[in-house]
Amino acid sequence: DVVMTQTPLSLSVTPGQPASISCKSSQSLLYSDGKNYFYWYLQKPGQSPQLLIYEVSSRFSGVPDRFSGSGSGTDFTLKISRVEAEDVGVYYCMQALHLPYTFGQGTKLEIK
Amino acid sequence: QMQLVESGGGLVKPGGSLRLSCAASGFTFRDYYMSWIRQAPGKGLEWISYINGGSGTIYYADSVKGRFTISRDNAKNSLYLQMSSLRAEDTAVYYCARANWGLLDAFDIWGQGTMVTVSS
């Protein structure tokens, strides 16, 4: 199975400050179609996961532009330019190129 | 409004069976792959199975292969997960999710989840 390794596992950020989460996969997520089958999800407290980013850097409908994704192959990053209180929760990376699909362990973001 | 609503969770003894359902609304259900994803208490997300629109393509994670069966009824806009030979480690919230081919198969719609507890 493809192992998705997120760092850090927890993050405490002052509102208005930036935050960054890294995700490394044990195999390349770049397919022959030139696309990386890589995603970011956020699970807010007490809620189901929700899609933030698909195909590395495309924001899902309604996701604020303070969220951005980058990377290719095996190394990916999620950046929040200015953290807000509503961004608290657990962030998961996920790959859907290799079966079984796999998630990272999750990164818990809290507000200072 | 596009939504998924799971049901069927509950308390079951080890070795027992349970059938989960996921009712879809607000979109053309038959056009999408659907998946089941679970989350053990206090743990991360684990994808366990998917099925394509015509039920011809199905895949399971090794952790549930041979014990769980995914199926769908497009006429009823419903997805199912038949779980048997349940173990304590199957205790989790089970989510159904839609894979959107327009978003590179991202899971863009999730249900609220249904809790399955396997305990004697």
Side-chain angles (χ1 to χ4, degrees), chain B residues 16-40:
Chain B
S17 299
L18 207 57
R19 188 197 198 203
L20 305 183
S21 298
C22 169
S25 60
F27 63 95
T28 306
F29 180 68
R30 65 177 180 272
D31 286 348
Y32 294 89
Y33 275 65
M34 297 294 297
S35 278
W36 287 100
I37 297 147
R38 68 183 179 182
Q39 186 171 36

Side-chain angles (χ1 to χ4, degrees), chain A residues 48-65:
Chain A
S48 302
Q50 59 189 74
L51 176 64
L52 284 179
I53 302 275
Y54 63 96
E55 198 183 343
V56 179
S57 59
S58 297
R59 279 186 303 276
F60 184 48
S61 175
V63 174
D65 61 7

Side-chain angles (χ1 to χ4, degrees), chain A residues 9-105:
Chain A
L9 296 184
S10 66
L11 211 46
S12 182
V13 183
T14 300
Q17 293 301 302
S20 180
I21 301 170
S22 171
C23 181
K24 296 182 187 298
S25 61
S26 60
Q27 297 181 38
S28 177
L29 304 182
L30 180 62
Y31 190 49
S32 56
D33 60 6
K35 299 176 181 180
N36 286 277
Y37 285 68
F38 179 85
Y39 319 82
W40 289 101
Y41 295 89
L42 166 60
Q43 188 172 31
K44 295 184 177 182
Q47 295 186 18
S48 302
Q50 59 189 74
L51 176 64
L52 284 179
I53 302 275
Y54 63 96
E55 198 183 343
V56 179
S57 59
S58 297
R59 279 186 303 276
F60 184 48
S61 175
V63 174
D65 61 7
R66 63 178 181 275
F67 289 91
S68 64
S70 62
S72 184
T74 60
D75 290 355
F76 304 90
T77 303
L78 175 70
K79 292 184 178 178
I80 311 173
S81 59
R82 296 172 305 280
V83 170
E84 297 187 6
E86 66 179 23
D87 300 336
V88 296
V90 181
Y91 291 78
Y92 293 95
C93 59
M94 193 202 94
Q95 66 84 20
L97 179 61
H98 305 280
L99 287 165
Y101 299 163
T102 47
F103 291 89
Q105 321 96 299

